[in-house]
Amino acid sequence: MSKEYQNSNKTDFSVIGKSAPMIDGVPKVIGTAIYADDIKLPGMLYGKILRSPHAHARIVKIDTSRALALPGVKAIITGKDTPVKYGILPIGQDETALAVDKVIYVGQEVAALAAITEEIAEQAINLIDVEYELLPAYLNAEAAMAAKDVLIHNDRPGNIEKKYHHSFGDIEKAFAESDLVLEDDFKFPRITHAAMEPHCAVANYEANGKLTVWTSTQTPHYVHRGLAKALQMHPSKVRVIKPFVGGGFGGKSETFSCDVCSSLLSKLTGKPVKITFTREEVFYAHRGRPDQFVHIKLGMRKDGKITGVYVKTIQDGGAFCSYGVVTILYSGALIAALYDIDNIKFDGYRVVTNKPACGPMRGHGTVNVRYSFEVMMDRLAEGLGLDPAEVRLKNMLKPNTKTVNDLRVTSYGYKECVEKAMEHANWTEKHGKMPFGRGIGMGGSHYVSGAANSIVRGKMPHSNVSIKIDIDGGVSVFTGTAEIGQGTETVQAQIVAEELGLPLERVRVIAADSDITPVDLGSYSSRVTFMAGNAALFAARDVKNQLLRHAAEVLGESPEHLICKNERIYVEYDPERSVAFREALIAALEHGGTVIGKGAYTPPPESQGGRFKGAGVGPGVAYSYSASVADVSVDPETGQVRVNKIWVAHDCGRALNPLAVEGQVEGSVWMGLGQALQEEQIFTSEGLTLNPSLLEYKSPGAIESPEIETIIVESIDPEGPFGAKEAGEGSLAGVIPAIANAVYDAVGVWITSLPITPEKILKELNKKKTGKNL
């Protein structure tokens, strides 16, 4: 272990490892937290967006005269005002804030306006007249790939955004040496994040040419970059501030039309402009998990060892690239990081269609392939007469290894996760032994602790944190991370407090203001605890070293022999000799003024993957591991599934804040439960979303929540801050196949498409009974 990371072996903690409520929790609970839509500025205008009623059509003419004549309307913009293309990926700069010459999905932005009231804006937007010429629409990946003449984007033949073909080992030899090989097709519908807070932006363009935007975002740095490009402004003239955010789950990881349109309308009117999406608009903008087809072929020896896996997957990505290249690569790359598999072949296709764009959603890219894999694993185990949990134990990786596709695995607690889940769920006594209609199933999963390569290639650190301490003794932590409800500010405060030997209450966090805080790439890919946590640790260490030098002078001791604890600085080998933290701080202030420290984190080169095309997406700096067990009841008369209990054993490295880890695991269980049993975005044959509200888009409520038991497994990662790694996403992907495998254990049918509805269960039960479909 390098000196830089020598922190994970410490065990005598004061703040780390203690369950602490979120430091930003009180204002959220009592209702004083300020979200983007709560912001009101003097003279503020309200913006609305006109959206396309067609899935694919050429814009012949836009007439805004009737809307502009309505009293109270201050400005209208159309595609000619927003010609600059932008996008989150450098190779995916394919969207404009408003459609320029044609629309490519129902709900695409066509025009925007600002008015003195929201009601006038709503009335005016319906007075804009647009003439369209309809074009052929492709509403699924198969149709889009078959298109010859009229493409959605002219530079993408076959409407294919990207395709990747990866092969490691010898897959044909692996299947030939297997005792059982099974293959099947799986289908997954599009789903959405269902964050409570809709997207919202408030823009204020001032007379001095400075633009300030308050926006509900997970990635303020990327929005800063995106706005500067879309508006053709120097980045120093753009300020992005993230207020409180009411959930993201991946759905607020890019620059959205509300950011660009509110900014442009503010510039045109000289007034602040707010645009808040309705819930229906969120369904057009959300960038959720794509419709996906997965064909999987898996081989196994009779002792349970997996010999090889072939996966072909096609993602219906919708109209724009968004994170699509990353989504398809994650689907293939992470197959290798959970089990020890020497032979892997992957064919992945990301396809453009005439539907709203898909993007990142909790468990980005991995969830659907993981479902297919974990269900096939159980089917092979059954075919060979093996216990599926024991089969998982048979295929473990080892810590500190590299996978067949060059992913570097450091800590690896999956074995303990499976064993703990089996123990807590009483697996051996229950699996295959409960009455018909009751079953238990397991699913394994994992996820990156941040992507080892950033979206924008370069050598800039992925996270930067600075710390300031002045005469009041309060520790101000400046971070560019986005707190979106997952507890990132709390965990950074805990790390700093621990390193400086101070109580948590002494630390305050100033976050996500591009004019004040240093750059951080944002909250996605479960990167914040590991990357910003390390940056915070290094910044605290910088400050501590400055204070120790002054304390050493007071104590007549070498700084190397001093430690910080309980608001004092002690001689480690002689605790009777110490000075108060404040005394050392005053000495430091007298010698140079405000104490300032900084820390930065860049993933080590050895974590950044291999050299083949696409190898840069998938490597993480560390991986979390999870084993989930579901106990379900299935009514064979109605097909209704009730999840009675879910056990999740999650390897998070070290639990810096066990309360927060439990909260994140429970959140993953609920999202997994929704995808498993209910969630589906439904489209008409014309491309219109049929269920664009949280009444019609079904997701689990409190009454449907099973009992959840979280088992924290600590593998202590050698490079994580105090040994920590991911806890925000990894459990989700294991919950869904655990439910499917439990359904099989209960009534003996496999469901190969989500959600697992009563209709599908009854259809499979009838087929099993009569050999015929219902």
Side-chain angles (χ1 to χ4, degrees):
M1 189 191 317
S2 70
K3 188 176 180 180
E4 185 180 34
Y5 292 112
Q6 286 176 4
N7 61 73
S8 57
N9 291 331
K10 183 179 174 183
T11 56
D12 180 21
F13 297 114
S14 300
V15 182
I16 292 300
K18 307 294 188 292
S19 287
M22 292 187 188
I23 59 176
D24 60 335
V26 171
K28 292 177 179 174
V29 172
I30 66 175
T32 57
I34 303 296
Y35 297 84
D37 192 50
D38 294 321
I39 294 170
K40 293 181 180 176
L41 301 177
M44 190 173 77
L45 305 175
Y46 297 84
K48 286 289 177 185
I49 294 176
L50 178 69
R51 294 177 180 275
S52 166
H54 304 298
H56 200 184
R58 187 166 290 113
I59 298 173
V60 177
K61 181 182 176 184
I62 301 178
D63 182 353
T64 61
S65 58
R66 288 198 303 148
L68 202 53
L70 189 70
V73 174
K74 296 299 181 182
I76 299 177
I77 55 176
T78 63
K80 64 180 172 53
D81 301 301
T82 61
V84 180
K85 290 186 176 181
Y86 61 91
I88 188 66
L89 302 181
I91 59 172
Q93 306 283 299
D94 62 355
E95 54 187 305
T96 52
L98 300 170
V100 174
D101 53 2
K102 69 173 187 174
V103 292
I104 54 177
Y105 66 91
V106 174
Q108 187 179 0
E109 301 87 343
V110 175
L113 58 79
I116 57 174
T117 70
E118 196 165 5
E119 291 72 22
I120 293 174
E122 186 72 50
Q123 184 183 351
I125 206 73
N126 294 314
L127 297 177
I128 298 175
D129 298 310
V130 185
E131 183 181 341
Y132 296 99
E133 177 188 337
L134 298 185
L135 298 170
Y138 313 111
L139 297 170
N140 59 62
E142 186 179 22
M145 293 171 82
K148 300 297 182 189
D149 300 327
V150 181
L151 298 174
I152 299 172
H153 297 279
N154 290 332
D155 59 347
R156 292 169 212 174
N159 289 312
I160 294 175
E161 177 74 50
K162 278 289 178 186
K163 55 184 176 182
Y164 291 95
H165 306 288
H166 291 161
S167 183
F168 306 98
D170 187 336
I171 193 67
E172 295 306 326
K173 183 170 180 286
F175 290 146
E177 293 175 351
S178 302
D179 291 300
L180 183 60
V181 178
L182 293 176
E183 58 187 312
D184 209 341
D185 295 337
F186 292 79
K187 293 182 179 177
F188 305 87
R190 172 180 299 218
I191 61 170
T192 189
H193 317 75
M196 291 292 287
E197 180 204 20
H199 301 64
C200 176
V202 180
N204 186 26
Y205 189 89
E206 298 176 80
N208 61 6
K210 180 82 180 221
L211 171 70
T212 300
V213 179
W214 293 262
T215 181
S216 180
T217 179
Q218 299 174 231
T219 55
H221 172 62
Y222 287 135
V223 173
H224 184 248
R225 293 173 65 106
L227 275 175
K229 180 179 183 189
L231 299 170
Q232 296 289 280
M233 293 177 68
H234 193 278
S236 67
K237 289 291 187 181
V238 179
R239 181 182 185 185
V240 172
I241 300 173
K242 179 207 71 68
F244 280 86
V245 170
F249 314 110
K252 295 173 181 170
S253 299
E254 313 178 38
T255 304
F256 288 92
S257 59
C258 57
D259 302 313
V260 179
C261 291
S262 62
S263 298
L264 191 52
L265 288 166
S266 178
K267 186 175 181 180
L268 288 173
T269 60
K271 301 282 188 181
V273 175
K274 178 197 292 184
I275 297 179
T276 303
F277 286 168
T278 63
R279 180 58 62 180
E280 181 177 350
E281 288 179 301
V282 172
F283 273 85
Y284 301 136
H286 64 95
R287 313 293 163 110
R289 206 180 320 285
D291 309 46
Q292 189 167 359
F293 164 83
V294 176
H295 175 80
I296 184 167
K297 185 176 181 181
L298 197 61
M300 187 177 285
R301 293 200 312 246
K302 59 185 177 183
D303 64 354
K305 183 73 177 76
I306 297 169
T307 54
V309 56
Y310 169 65
V311 169
K312 177 184 177 182
T313 187
I314 301 171
Q315 293 178 351
D316 173 352
F320 295 118
C321 177
S322 178
Y323 281 81
V325 176
V326 177
T327 316
I328 193 67
L329 281 168
Y330 265 152
S331 289
L334 292 185
I335 294 171
L338 182 58
Y339 300 109
D340 181 19
I341 309 173
D342 293 332
N343 305 288
I344 298 174
K345 189 171 187 296
F346 173 75
D347 293 316
Y349 300 83
R350 177 79 171 190
V351 181
V352 181
T353 63
N354 289 117
K355 291 192 292 196
C358 289
M361 183 172 165
R362 204 173 193 172
H364 188 187
T366 68
V367 174
N368 295 339
V369 170
R370 180 51 44 201
Y371 178 90
S372 311
F373 191 107
E374 294 291 315
V375 168
M376 289 302 287
M377 205 170 180
D378 266 42
R379 290 168 67 170
L380 283 163
E382 188 201 36
L384 292 168
L386 303 172
D387 182 303
E390 295 295 337
V391 163
R392 285 171 173 81
L393 290 170
K394 186 75 179 179
N395 289 281
M396 292 289 158
L397 283 165
K398 290 185 169 51
N400 301 310
T401 190
K402 275 206 170 185
T403 68
V404 68
N405 61 338
D406 276 340
L407 303 181
R408 187 192 64 145
V409 174
T410 50
S411 55
Y412 182 79
Y414 185 45
K415 180 172 184 291
E416 189 176 352
C417 288
V418 173
E419 291 172 341
K420 290 283 187 187
M422 291 175 70
E423 176 190 339
H424 283 249
N426 201 11
W427 173 271
T428 307
E429 300 302 317
K430 291 180 178 174
H431 185 257
K433 298 171 183 171
M434 290 195 282
F436 185 75
R438 184 82 181 263
I440 193 168
M442 177 177 284
S445 62
H446 63 318
Y447 204 62
V448 297
S449 299
N453 299 291
S454 68
I455 291 167
V456 181
R457 291 295 179 94
K459 295 182 179 178
M460 189 180 77
H462 292 209
S463 286
N464 298 272
V465 170
S466 58
I467 293 175
K468 183 199 78 166
I469 314 179
D470 218 317
I471 190 66
D472 67 352
V475 179
S476 299
V477 178
F478 296 86
T479 173
T481 57
E483 170 65 62
I484 56 173
Q486 77 281 49
T488 57
E489 292 184 9
T490 305
V491 83
Q492 289 176 85
Q494 285 183 281
I495 289 168
V496 171
E498 181 69 44
E499 189 66 11
L500 295 178
L502 297 174
L504 184 59
E505 296 73 23
R506 186 73 70 77
V507 181
R508 54 205 176 205
V509 178
I510 295 94
D513 180 334
S514 64
D515 265 12
I516 298 173
T517 57
V519 170
D520 183 280
L521 298 184
S523 293
Y524 62 92
S525 294
S526 284
R527 56 178 299 284
V528 179
T529 294
F530 202 103
M531 296 187 179
N534 264 327
L537 178 65
F538 301 152
R541 203 169 281 172
D542 184 5
V543 166
K544 183 175 78 171
N545 289 337
Q546 295 177 52
L547 296 175
L548 292 185
R549 284 199 297 274
H550 295 285
E553 291 178 10
V554 175
L555 291 166
E557 186 55 78
S558 169
E560 300 91 69
H561 296 150
L562 303 181
I563 59 170
C564 296
K565 198 172 180 68
N566 300 327
E567 297 192 68
R568 299 193 70 80
I569 297 175
Y570 295 88
V571 178
E572 189 170 18
Y573 64 85
D574 183 8
E576 296 298 318
R577 296 165 57 206
S578 69
V579 296
F581 181 88
R582 183 170 181 79
E583 188 178 348
L585 173 63
I586 296 297
L589 293 171
E590 289 174 347
H591 281 81
T594 306
V595 177
I596 297 173
K598 66 177 184 176
Y601 178 79
T602 302
E606 58 270 23
S607 71
Q608 294 173 353
R611 295 180 178 274
F612 55 91
K613 185 180 180 184
V617 180
V621 286
Y623 299 87
S624 71
Y625 293 92
S626 277
S628 300
V629 173
D631 178 325
V632 308
S633 297
V634 182
D635 185 336
E637 299 298 322
T638 65
Q640 286 286 345
V641 177
R642 176 175 178 78
V643 180
N644 304 308
K645 183 167 181 177
I646 291 182
W647 297 261
V648 178
H650 185 93
D651 163 27
C652 63
R654 187 192 301 281
L656 303 185
N657 185 345
L659 183 65
V661 173
E662 289 172 5
Q664 287 298 298
V665 170
E666 289 173 4
S668 282
V669 169
W670 282 317
M671 289 193 85
L673 189 68
Q675 184 171 356
L677 298 177
Q678 293 176 305
E679 297 188 27
E680 180 175 13
Q681 186 174 349
I682 302 169
F683 293 88
T684 68
S685 59
E686 288 78 36
L688 175 68
T689 298
L690 266 178
N691 53 346
S693 81
L694 295 184
L695 278 176
E696 297 150 327
Y697 180 88
K698 301 297 184 187
S699 56
I703 198 169
E704 294 150 308
S705 176
E707 181 183 353
I708 301 169
E709 183 176 337
T710 302
I711 305 139
I712 294 176
V713 172
E714 295 189 307
S715 62
I716 314 301
D717 191 85
E719 297 176 8
F722 297 108
K725 54 185 182 180
E726 191 272 340
E729 302 185 67
S731 296
L732 188 154
V735 169
I736 309 167
I739 293 171
N741 290 336
V743 167
Y744 179 80
D745 194 44
V747 294
V749 296
W750 298 108
I751 306 300
T752 55
S753 67
L754 294 181
I756 302 170
T757 60
E759 291 81 5
K760 291 175 184 174
I761 290 175
L762 289 178
K763 181 179 178 182
E764 291 302 318
L765 283 172
N766 189 67
K767 191 165 38 172
K768 186 177 178 183
K769 184 177 177 183
T770 65
K772 298 177 182 177
N773 289 327
L774 283 173

